[in-house]
Amino acid sequence: MASSEVLSALSTLESTSTPQTDKAPRYHDLLNEIVSSSTPSQLSPNLIAYLNSILKDTLGIVASRPLLASFVDSLKSVPRADVKIDVGQHALATLHPRVVSYEEQDALIREILADAYEEQEDYIDSAKVLQGIQLDSSQRSISDDTKVKIWIRIVRLYLEVDDTTGAESYLNRAKNLLYKVEDQEVKLMFTLSQARILDARRKFLDASQVYHNFSLSSVLAEEERIKALSAAIVCSVLAPAGPQRARSLARLYKDERAQQVEEFGILEKMFLDRLLSQTEVNKFAANLSPHQLAITADGSTVLAKAVIEHNLLGASRLYNNIGVEQLGTLLGLDKEKAEEYAARMIEQGRLVGRIDQIDGLIFFDSGEATGEKTHAGQANLVAGRELRKWDSNVQGLTEEVERCTTLLQNHFPEFVAANLSSFRDSLRLVLRALPTTRMTLKDLLKKKDKIKEEENHPETTAPQASPEFTFMRTTTTTQEIISPPTYAGDGLATVHEAPNSPKRSRFHRNSNASIISTSHTPQTGKGEKRLSQRLHLRSRTASSSSVNLPNDLPSINDGVAEESDEQQAKWEKRATLLAKNNPSSRPGTPGAQEGSEIRGRSRSVSLSDEKGDENIQEAIRLHEAGDLQRSTAMFGRLADPVGPNNALSQVLYGLALRHGWGCTPDATKAINYLSFAASNSAAVESLALDAGMKKGGAAKGELVLAIFELANCFRHGWGVQQDAVAAKQYYETAANLGDTDAMNEVAWCYNEGFGTKKDR
């Protein structure tokens, strides 16, 4: 509480008996007496009592403003910080309701109070007090220099407690007005604050550059410049090893003043890529700030991580290769941790090399790192070179295997037939080396759906003067483009082999892109020929030399100008006859007896139902996920002729049995199920044709798939005796029903004379 003398004097001044002209001088005298004669314990209460008196309504604003200004000057001269804090807090609370009338005095009191808080190292409260200053006021004019100066002071106060978030927000405010500031000291303080924020956020490379630029300022004293240079070296040492840090180290090492700082020794060793000892590291760590010794996510300190990465980079300059365990010993880490550091630096483009995990070796390649992230954990150059070499070796091996197998089939067909099982197993081992040897069942289903969609929505294009076709013969790993025959006036250009054309696997068929590019025209000109004529996809008289073809197989004349519904119906009829004459229905054929017994007990054919479709989709999902055993077992249950008897599942189960997807290969059983699928689909299609549906019924897609796969069986002798004539006829039928893969195969048959005379 204030002293009685001060209270009595203030009471007298507040009375109405005192003239207004005498009050101001007497208030000044009383203030001087309070500041000079009050005891330390009474100083704060006396000043607070005085402040309350001059802010009462008995004095107007005009009289109280100069008295308050004098009070602020006297408070600033008080030496004790605790008195300034007590009186200043009370003054701000008293002025708050009418701060608009006393904005300038409020700002001055806040600055005094901030100084007092800072003197007591209460930096947060000091910053909060300064934030309350009204810098966008209509009552007084505030220069840009003053605004930036206050913001920079707030930034520095936040940095004292490592609050980089609060500091950065006010630094951004200052940045927007910095171009208007003319005070060089304010600009330097901004640069220093920016460097400290980058340093605190561990952006050491950026901080080092800002510190170094700050050290070059001629306005600073030499001692301050050397101190800033030292901070730049520290940040550069702590930065992640790599090409960017190497450039930063080079810039600092070439600075003539660098030899004057204590950190020059470690700077020189890092610049020259020499390994650092633990003694040197401990000496350097003694002068670091707490945030520069913070623990990172992997449990190491910022300094330890920087030293490990530097020593790893130094080791790459000394060795061409090194064992992972030996590298761990060199870095003071276990081998797993050493490999992790090396892998991360290689992946981030900060180290050029590769890791052989099998032999436990790290190979360091020549050349400088780019600093750009690489793919698959290796430098782009190394990865590209190694992958190209691997691809070339795999391609060469598979092409040689394909060449040998083709020669064996052409010159020693009896040997191939006698040793088919072991030959197929050997070929499968080679095919498994390729990423595309396993058929994508989703593509097979898309192909089936596409056949139906093309019938329902035939594509038409504008007439073209000269349609072009590309004929390809593909094997598991190779692709050969075949030039089609040309005729006078047809305008076909010779197609040359594309050296970089993609390879297609026979077992991986994509229905979305046809091997043969076709253009359908409504009418053909005099000199033009239809697609079937160019491909020679017209029916030939069935060869009597094949027991796998029915004697009543119709001959179809496709030389008309355009394809008609009647012609499609004829090819459908032809397909149903082939399907009904499938291998499992003929006596003496392997598996025929078993097939006839099962067919006698089979249920009605199933094409599509909600439950069955869900099961097929689940089986396909398992196949695509690599769970071949479960997938094949599910296909088998759905394909059971005395069970669901699903035609599509019978095709897929037949393929699984033929190629050994999740089961023991059984070519005989495979062709039985393909035959079931063909017969079941043919039964549905026959009913559709009898009902007048010339474009086929709901089972057309399944029928075409089954016919094509049976053609493959006849061609390669899978489960049946090899029959080139039957294979060609089956291919030709499937091709005329829209199967693009069959078009490719029948073109090959004519080109090679397989099952027919050569006709190129």
Side-chain angles (χ1 to χ4, degrees):
M1 186 175 179
S3 63
S4 57
E5 293 83 1
V6 172
L7 292 176
S8 177
L10 291 174
S11 179
T12 303
L13 289 173
E14 293 171 2
S15 65
T16 57
S17 60
T18 304
Q20 291 290 336
T21 55
D22 295 339
K23 285 185 178 182
R26 295 178 66 178
Y27 268 114
H28 283 297
D29 295 339
L30 179 58
L31 177 61
N32 293 331
E33 183 179 352
I34 291 173
V35 173
S36 60
S37 60
S38 295
T39 61
S41 60
Q42 291 293 322
L43 182 57
S44 292
N46 288 342
L47 289 174
I48 291 174
Y50 178 85
L51 179 64
N52 291 337
S53 179
I54 63 176
L55 292 178
K56 285 184 178 180
D57 295 335
T58 55
L59 287 175
I61 294 178
V62 177
S64 61
R65 277 181 177 171
L67 292 176
L68 184 58
S70 299
F71 173 82
V72 171
D73 292 337
S74 299
L75 180 62
K76 189 175 182 179
S77 63
V78 173
R80 293 177 56 185
D82 58 334
V83 174
K84 292 180 180 178
I85 292 174
D86 291 341
V87 177
Q89 288 178 340
H90 181 79
L92 293 179
T94 306
L95 291 174
H96 181 70
R98 39 188 172 174
V99 68
V100 177
S101 302
Y102 301 98
E103 280 188 0
E104 185 174 357
Q105 290 75 21
D106 178 83
L108 293 173
I109 293 174
R110 287 182 179 277
E111 291 182 6
I112 295 171
L113 187 56
D115 292 337
Y117 279 130
E118 188 174 355
E119 186 179 345
Q120 293 188 346
E121 298 184 356
D122 190 353
Y123 301 110
I124 293 295
D125 286 339
S126 179
K128 289 180 179 180
V129 168
L130 291 175
Q131 291 175 24
I133 298 177
Q134 298 292 329
L135 297 178
D136 297 321
S137 173
S138 60
Q139 302 295 324
R140 61 192 185 112
S141 177
I142 304 175
S143 65
D144 293 330
D145 285 17
T146 302
K147 293 180 182 179
V148 174
K149 190 173 183 179
I150 292 175
W151 287 332
I152 294 298
R153 184 179 178 186
I154 295 174
V155 170
R156 297 182 62 190
L157 290 170
Y158 276 123
L159 288 175
E160 292 295 333
V161 293
D162 292 330
D163 185 356
T164 56
T165 303
E168 191 169 16
S169 64
Y170 280 91
L171 186 74
N172 292 333
R173 294 187 187 186
K175 186 187 300 183
N176 296 330
L177 293 178
L178 191 64
Y179 70 98
K180 296 182 179 180
V181 175
E182 298 179 357
D183 191 338
Q184 291 298 320
E185 183 178 354
V186 174
K187 290 184 177 181
L188 289 174
M189 294 308 298
F190 174 86
T191 303
L192 182 60
S193 299
Q194 186 180 35
R196 290 184 62 186
I197 289 176
L198 293 171
D199 187 359
R201 288 186 174 274
R202 301 178 192 171
K203 297 181 179 180
F204 294 117
L205 284 175
D206 295 334
S208 177
Q209 183 174 358
V210 177
Y211 274 130
H212 189 233
N213 293 338
F214 184 80
S215 71
L216 298 175
S217 175
S218 58
V219 179
L220 297 174
E222 184 64 21
E223 182 181 358
E224 294 295 328
R225 295 170 62 188
I226 295 298
K227 189 175 180 180
L229 178 61
S230 175
I233 294 174
V234 169
C235 288
S236 186
V237 169
L238 295 174
Q244 294 184 5
R245 192 193 67 165
R247 289 191 288 270
S248 176
L249 292 172
R251 183 175 62 253
L252 294 171
Y253 183 75
K254 294 176 182 178
D255 194 313
E256 297 178 353
R257 303 167 299 162
Q259 298 182 12
Q260 303 177 30
V261 301
E262 186 178 356
E263 295 81 9
F264 178 74
I266 196 170
L267 170 66
E268 183 177 32
K269 279 203 166 185
M270 282 196 163
F271 172 71
L272 298 175
D273 289 328
R274 296 174 181 172
L275 301 181
L276 298 174
S277 65
Q278 191 59 43
T279 303
E280 293 170 320
V281 174
N282 293 338
K283 182 180 178 181
F284 176 75
N287 298 324
L288 295 182
S289 302
H291 72 272
Q292 295 171 336
L293 295 172
I295 305 296
T296 60
D298 60 359
S300 61
T301 63
V302 175
L303 175 60
K305 187 174 181 179
V307 171
I308 290 172
E309 291 182 349
H310 166 75
N311 285 342
L312 178 55
L313 197 60
S316 70
R317 300 288 191 266
L318 294 175
Y319 304 101
N320 290 328
N321 59 76
I322 188 173
V324 176
E325 188 171 354
Q326 289 73 22
L327 179 62
T329 303
L330 184 65
L331 300 179
L333 303 170
D334 56 59
K335 62 179 183 180
E336 290 79 10
K337 205 71 174 177
E339 182 179 348
E340 181 182 338
Y341 270 95
R344 181 168 58 247
M345 291 184 66
I346 292 173
E347 181 182 4
Q348 294 174 353
R350 297 188 285 134
L351 179 66
V352 182
R354 63 189 188 278
I355 300 175
D356 186 340
Q357 291 183 316
I358 297 177
D359 294 333
L361 293 174
I362 299 179
F363 295 88
F364 301 114
D365 296 328
S366 59
E368 294 295 329
T370 62
E372 298 180 358
K373 288 188 176 182
T374 59
H375 302 287
Q378 292 186 337
N380 285 327
L381 180 62
V382 177
R385 183 173 64 250
E386 295 298 326
L387 289 177
R388 285 193 297 272
K389 184 187 298 183
W390 174 262
D391 290 344
S392 177
N393 291 339
V394 172
Q395 181 179 352
L397 173 62
T398 54
E399 287 177 352
E400 189 66 20
V401 171
E402 178 67 20
R403 188 182 69 82
C404 292
T405 54
T406 302
L407 289 174
L408 285 173
Q409 287 179 319
N410 291 339
H411 296 285
F412 304 100
E414 297 83 4
F415 173 81
V416 173
N419 298 272
L420 181 61
S421 178
S422 59
F423 167 76
R424 199 166 50 238
D425 292 340
S426 300
L427 183 59
R428 187 178 299 110
L429 292 176
V430 176
L431 294 178
R432 284 176 180 171
L434 297 175
T436 58
T437 56
R438 182 163 58 87
M439 176 183 289
T440 302
L441 297 186
K442 290 183 178 178
D443 291 340
L444 190 63
L445 295 183
K446 289 179 182 177
K447 174 180 172 179
K448 175 181 74 70
D449 295 338
K450 184 180 179 182
I451 293 173
K452 294 181 179 179
E453 290 175 0
E454 288 177 348
E455 293 300 326
N456 296 330
H457 304 285
E459 296 180 359
T460 58
T461 58
Q464 298 180 2
S466 178
E468 296 183 0
F469 309 96
T470 302
F471 303 91
M472 301 181 186
R473 178 193 174 193
T474 62
T475 64
T476 305
T477 58
T478 62
Q479 172 176 293
E480 177 185 2
I481 299 180
I482 303 171
S483 301
T486 58
Y487 301 91
D490 64 1
L492 287 178
T494 301
V495 182
H496 300 283
E497 181 174 354
N500 297 324
S501 57
K503 307 291 187 298
R504 292 178 66 251
S505 169
R506 181 173 294 134
F507 303 128
H508 189 131
R509 295 158 38 210
N510 190 338
S511 64
N512 294 329
S514 174
I515 299 293
I516 304 174
S517 173
T518 65
S519 299
H520 300 282
T521 58
Q523 296 182 357
T524 56
K526 181 177 181 180
E528 298 176 351
K529 296 183 180 292
R530 296 180 63 259
L531 172 62
S532 58
Q533 290 176 316
R534 296 191 186 281
L535 294 177
H536 299 278
L537 300 185
R538 54 186 179 273
S539 174
R540 311 295 176 100
T541 302
S543 174
S544 59
S545 62
S546 174
V547 298
N548 295 306
L549 296 176
N551 295 327
D552 57 346
L553 190 66
S555 176
I556 301 175
N557 180 18
D558 61 351
V560 295
E562 61 179 9
E563 296 183 3
S564 63
D565 292 344
E566 290 77 8
Q567 192 176 23
Q568 281 292 303
K570 290 180 181 180
W571 284 109
E572 285 261 5
K573 182 67 175 178
R574 180 186 175 93
T576 59
L577 291 175
L578 289 175
K580 292 177 180 178
N581 192 63
N582 60 71
S584 67
S585 64
R586 294 188 300 276
T589 305
Q593 182 177 358
E594 177 187 355
S596 61
E597 291 176 355
I598 295 177
R599 187 177 292 101
R601 305 193 308 269
S602 64
R603 298 172 51 189
S604 60
V605 61
S606 169
L607 291 178
S608 177
D609 61 80
E610 184 175 354
K611 182 63 175 178
D613 290 345
E614 291 179 357
N615 291 334
I616 292 176
Q617 293 299 325
E618 176 62 16
I620 292 172
R621 187 192 67 78
L622 293 172
H623 183 94
E624 297 295 326
D627 194 349
L628 301 184
Q629 291 184 349
R630 291 177 60 194
S631 172
T632 300
M634 186 173 289
F635 282 139
R637 291 193 297 271
L638 295 171
D640 187 2
V642 296
N645 199 28
N646 184 276
L648 178 58
S649 296
Q650 288 167 346
V651 173
L652 300 179
Y653 187 51
L655 294 178
L657 290 170
R658 189 171 76 190
H659 300 295
W661 296 335
C663 63
T664 302
D666 190 338
T668 302
K669 192 174 180 180
I671 200 169
N672 281 337
Y673 275 92
L674 291 173
S675 299
F676 294 154
S679 299
N680 290 336
S681 303
V684 175
E685 291 302 290
S686 295
L687 294 175
L689 292 173
D690 293 342
M693 299 175 63
K694 297 179 181 180
K695 292 187 177 181
K700 181 178 179 180
E702 288 82 350
L703 176 60
V704 175
L705 288 178
I707 291 293
F708 177 79
E709 295 302 339
L710 286 172
N712 286 331
C713 293
F714 287 127
R715 174 181 175 179
H716 299 287
W718 290 336
V720 294
Q721 186 69 28
Q722 188 178 32
D723 189 339
V725 174
K728 179 260 179 187
Q729 292 292 341
Y730 273 69
Y731 279 139
E732 191 170 41
T733 302
N736 278 279
L737 290 176
D739 191 309
T740 55
D741 292 309
M743 295 177 188
N744 180 42
E745 299 301 339
V746 76
W748 175 81
C749 289
Y750 281 117
N751 187 69
E752 298 294 329
F754 186 80
T756 185
K757 292 182 179 180
K758 284 189 178 182
D759 190 347
R760 298 184 177 179

